[in-house]
Amino acid sequence: MKSLAQRRQSAPSLIFVKALNRSRSVSREGCFSPISPEACPLVQSFMCHNRTFLLDGHVQLKTGLQTQERHLFLFTDLLVVAKSKSHSHFKLKCQARLCEMWTAFCTEEVCEGSTDPERSFVLGWPTTNCVANFRSAEQKETWLSFLQSRIREEKEKDYPKSIPLKIIAKDVGTCAYSKTLTVTNVDTANDVILMALQQLGISGSEKDYKLWVISGREDAPYPLIGHEYPFGIKISHIRDAMPHGSKHCACPRQLQGSFLTEQLPQELQCQFVLKPSRLAESPPLHDLSQKSFKRKRSIINWAFWRGPGTHLDNVPLSSTSAAPGKLFGLLLTAICEDDNLPKPLL
C-alpha cells in the first residue's frame, strides 16, 4: 500500500488529468454549440447585402470509407463546409450554391458501413455526394427542411431554367451517337435518362442505364446515382468559364449563347455519356454472400468516385466516336473469359 506521503505526491497528477479531461469535454461541447455569427470571421466573410445567415451545426460527412468531422454554415443562397479550429475559428473546405445542390436518402450507395437513417441523409453538389450524419433526429430534420426549402427557392430564381444538354450514347448498338436534349433545373439524372431513351428510340428504363459525367476538371469519369441534377453540374462548369466579375452573380445573364455550347476550354468542358448499367448482365457470384456483393458493388459504383481508372473506355471530350474498351492496355475480350470479369476485380 502507498504511504500517505506517496498518495499526496500523486494527487496533483490526478487532479491535472481530471482537469484536462474536463477541458476536452468543454472543448468538444463548444464545437457542437451554436456559434455567434458576429464573432465568427468565416461567417462575416460571406455576409453581404443580399445574403442572410440562417443556421450552423456540427456534422459528420461520409463518402465511401471516409468520415470527416465538419461544421456547416447555411446562408440563404449558399452552403459553406468548414473544419473547426476552435469555437469561433474555422477553416473553409468548400462552398456550394444551393441552386446547384440536391438531397436524397440512398445512403448505402454513397458510403460504406451502417448509418442511422433517422439521423442521416445524402447531401450533394456538383462533383460531390456525401452522407450527412447529425447528432440527433431533430437536428437532421431541421437541416433537411431548411435545405430543401432553400434549394427549392433558389432554383426558382435560376436564369435560365433550362439548357441544351448533349447526351452521348455508348455501348448501345454498334456505334456511339448523340442527342441534344432540353433539360430543366429540376430534372434529375433518372429523368434525363428516360428522356434520352425516348429521343434515341431505345427500349428500357432508368434502371437499365447509367448517366456518366466526363469532366475536364476531374481525373476520371464518374457515374450518377440518379437523384442528381445534370443541369446544376453543367451550369457549375459554365460558371467556371465566365469572367471573374460575373461568375459569382446569383443569376448572371451571360449564361446563354456561347456559354451554353461546347465552345469551352478542355479543362472546363462537361459531357454526359449514357451507358448500360450492366448490373442485370453481371454473372452471379456464387462464392460471395448477397450482402458482401452489395457492399463491394457500392464501393465500385458510389457516385463521384474520383480514383484512378480508365476514362470511360477512353471516350475523349467533344467526341462521339466509338473506341474499344481496354484494361491495362489489353482488350476486355482478351482478359474476360466467358464474359466474366477477372477475379482480382471482383
Side-chain angles (χ1 to χ4, degrees), residues 54-55 74 141-151:
L54 299 176
L55 188 65
L74 181 63
E141 290 300 329
T142 299
W143 273 93
L144 183 62
S145 176
F146 266 87
L147 281 168
Q148 290 179 335
S149 174
R150 292 309 310 163
I151 289 173

Side-chain angles (χ1 to χ4, degrees), residues 234 238 241-243 254-264:
K234 182 73 173 182
I238 295 173
M242 295 176 62
Q254 293 91 335
L255 289 181
Q256 54 187 334
S258 62
F259 281 108
L260 295 181
T261 68
E262 298 298 322
Q263 307 304 314
L264 297 175

Side-chain angles (χ1 to χ4, degrees), residues 169-171 174-177 313-316 319-325:
K170 192 161 190 310
D171 292 344
T174 57
C175 62
Y177 45 98
D313 295 348
N314 299 322
V315 177
S319 172
T320 59
S321 61

Side-chain angles (χ1 to χ4, degrees), residues 179 181 191-204 274:
K179 198 78 173 180
L181 310 175
D191 294 331
V192 173
I193 289 175
L194 290 175
M195 284 190 286
L197 294 178
Q198 183 179 11
Q199 290 291 320
L200 295 169
I202 302 172
S203 60
L274 181 69

Side-chain angles (χ1 to χ4, degrees), residues 27-85:
S27 175
R28 183 170 177 80
E29 289 299 321
C31 292
F32 290 155
S33 60
I35 61 121
S36 171
E38 295 77 13
C40 181
L42 181 65
V43 172
Q44 291 302 311
S45 69
F46 283 96
M47 295 298 292
C48 58
H49 71 280
N50 60 348
R51 176 178 296 147
T52 304
F53 174 70
L54 299 176
L55 188 65
D56 79 284
H58 177 269
V59 69
Q60 284 184 332
L61 296 184
K62 300 182 177 182
T63 303
L65 297 172
Q66 289 187 336
T67 299
Q68 296 175 323
E69 302 290 335
R70 291 292 182 260
H71 204 91
L72 301 183
F73 298 90
L74 181 63
F75 298 84
T76 47
D77 65 330
L78 203 66
L79 179 71
V80 173
V81 182
K83 183 177 181 180
S84 176
K85 294 296 185 180

Side-chain angles (χ1 to χ4, degrees), residues 25-297:
S25 176
V26 170
S27 175
R28 183 170 177 80
E29 289 299 321
C31 292
F32 290 155
S33 60
I35 61 121
S36 171
E38 295 77 13
C40 181
L42 181 65
V43 172
Q44 291 302 311
S45 69
F46 283 96
M47 295 298 292
C48 58
H49 71 280
N50 60 348
R51 176 178 296 147
T52 304
F53 174 70
L54 299 176
L55 188 65
D56 79 284
H58 177 269
V59 69
Q60 284 184 332
L61 296 184
K62 300 182 177 182
T63 303
L65 297 172
Q66 289 187 336
T67 299
Q68 296 175 323
E69 302 290 335
R70 291 292 182 260
H71 204 91
L72 301 183
F73 298 90
L74 181 63
F75 298 84
T76 47
D77 65 330
L78 203 66
L79 179 71
V80 173
V81 182
K83 183 177 181 180
S84 176
K85 294 296 185 180
S86 68
H87 177 57
S88 60
H89 289 81
F90 301 86
K91 180 180 180 180
L92 176 65
K93 303 303 290 186
C94 65
Q95 63 188 74
R97 294 177 178 273
L98 294 180
C99 61
E100 297 171 359
M101 292 186 63
W102 51 76
T103 61
F105 302 98
C106 51
T107 56
E108 291 186 356
E109 295 289 337
V110 178
C111 77
E112 292 299 306
S114 60
T115 55
D116 184 358
E118 297 295 324
R119 299 188 296 114
S120 306
F121 62 87
V122 174
L123 184 63
W125 54 90
T127 72
T128 300
N129 259 325
C130 59
V131 173
N133 185 46
F134 295 89
R135 287 180 295 150
S136 65
E138 292 75 18
Q139 189 183 32
K140 171 243 183 174
E141 290 300 329
T142 299
W143 273 93
L144 183 62
S145 176
F146 266 87
L147 281 168
Q148 290 179 335
S149 174
R150 292 309 310 163
I151 289 173
R152 193 162 47 245
E153 290 192 32
E154 289 303 304
K155 282 186 173 294
E156 291 176 358
K157 300 177 185 178
D158 262 345
Y159 179 87
K161 284 187 169 58
S162 63
I163 58 173
L165 196 70
K166 185 166 73 172
I167 306 296
I168 301 172
K170 192 161 190 310
D171 292 344
V172 180
T174 57
C175 62
Y177 45 98
S178 65
K179 198 78 173 180
T180 299
L181 310 175
T182 298
V183 176
T184 72
N185 63 349
V186 295
D187 288 326
T188 65
N190 281 339
D191 294 331
V192 173
I193 289 175
L194 290 175
M195 284 190 286
L197 294 178
Q198 183 179 11
Q199 290 291 320
L200 295 169
I202 302 172
S203 60
S205 70
E206 70 277 11
K207 296 180 181 179
D208 303 319
Y209 293 86
K210 284 281 188 183
L211 195 63
W212 289 70
V213 178
I214 302 178
S215 170
R217 62 191 185 192
E218 303 295 342
D219 294 332
Y222 44 84
L224 303 182
I225 297 174
H227 60 267
E228 303 90 344
Y229 297 116
F231 176 99
I233 298 172
K234 182 73 173 182
I235 286 293
S236 70
H237 284 72
I238 295 173
R239 286 186 191 275
D240 286 346
M242 295 176 62
H244 181 75
S246 59
K247 66 189 293 185
H248 298 289
C249 298
C251 305
R253 296 286 164 175
Q254 293 91 335
L255 289 181
Q256 54 187 334
S258 62
F259 281 108
L260 295 181
T261 68
E262 298 298 322
Q263 307 304 314
L264 297 175
Q266 176 90 0
E267 65 276 8
L268 296 177
Q269 288 189 26
C270 174
Q271 291 190 348
F272 295 83
V273 179
L274 181 69
K275 288 174 64 75
S277 63
R278 303 193 184 281
L279 294 180
E281 302 174 18
S282 298
L285 302 181
H286 301 293
D287 56 337
L288 295 176
S289 66
Q290 184 66 27
K291 181 178 180 180
S292 62
F293 171 66
K294 184 176 182 180
R295 286 176 56 83
K296 288 180 182 297
R297 187 180 67 191

